[in-house]
Amino acid sequence: MSYTGPGFDPPQPRRSRRGPLTVALAALVPGALLGWAVYAAVGGPGGDEGSAGASASASGTPTAGSSPSASADDTKPGASASAKSPSAPAGSGALKGKVVVIDPGHNPGNFRHTADISRQVDIGTNRKECDTTGTATNDGYAEAEFTLDVAHRMRTLLERQGATVKLTQDADRPFGPCVDERARIGNEAKADAVVSIHADGSGTGNRGFHVILPGAVHSGAADTRAIVEPSGDLGERIAGDFVRVTGSAPSNYIGDGTGLVTREDLGGLNLSTVPKVFIECGNMRDSKDAALLTSGAWRQKAAQGISDGIVGFLRG
């Protein structure tokens, strides 16, 4: 997902939330930063990143499942974990009774339905396009393929923990769903957590991930006031675990090195009534980030880091 184009308001700086949770998380920031710095120093992915900064995550966050070794096929951009790791039935485990909705950004078929996805829908604050085609690497690996692959890997990890996992789309429809329907799917599932998976389409040299948190919106059909606090907790945990597992640094071009950005112009967040965040896992238009995003082994780490953050949030 790129910020360029009509209808996107400038990202808003993250609003601080005071309270015991904020104080506790702030105390853990040096540990998260140190963990990334050590990883980078020994040559981990993203180790040459010039900007460093991370959100805090409680140490010892439960692991959602062990990462399988990448096979030769797994390193291909189009290799999907769904074919290799069939879903495990939910029912037992630490997340028994919890519902997680994964929202793979865009849809591989959107480019065939540009008129359909261009129609305007109500996002509470105003009206926006139903969806977009998303971005792609310079070699043509589509964001929609990336998001679906990571979603499949996350589903396997979370179902192993006993969670009930639902996807907003699984390339099982010609296009979409629209952003308002994506929010509605999470709401109707009464999800305990929703994560929308994306990759950015920014300029060359812009690297790293960032997590997008909902701002306090109360307009029209949108009222996020009740979910701002828990969504912030979810986002902070995901950011911390993403650093820990992938070794990737927070974005060097947005979020002031924290890996956290607050926005009030995204319908998928504005219309949510349950805790929800977006994650931009990297910049597809930068060759170094693209090398990570097109690696099946790295996508497994990305899925693990996001899943670990969800597990930590749901276990409290």
Side-chain angles (χ1 to χ4, degrees), residues 37-127:
V38 171
Y39 191 94
V42 298
D48 58 352
E49 178 60 63
S51 173
S55 170
S57 173
S59 59
T61 300
T63 300
S66 58
S67 301
S69 300
S71 65
D73 286 343
D74 197 38
T75 63
K76 297 177 182 177
S80 173
S82 60
K84 300 175 179 59
S85 304
S87 300
S92 61
L95 300 186
K96 181 180 180 180
K98 300 294 186 181
V99 176
V100 177
V101 170
I102 305 172
D103 178 30
H106 313 290
N107 180 317
N110 275 2
F111 74 96
R112 299 188 187 93
H113 299 272
T114 54
D116 294 298
I117 66 172
S118 295
R119 70 181 179 86
Q120 300 281 302
V121 298
D122 182 12
I123 66 166
T125 53
N126 60 306
R127 297 182 68 82

Side-chain angles (χ1 to χ4, degrees), residues 100-103 186-187 191-196 234 272 274-278:
V100 177
V101 170
I102 305 172
D103 178 30
N187 296 343
D192 297 286
V194 183
V195 179
S196 189
L234 173 63
S272 183
V274 294
K276 182 175 182 178
V277 299
F278 281 47

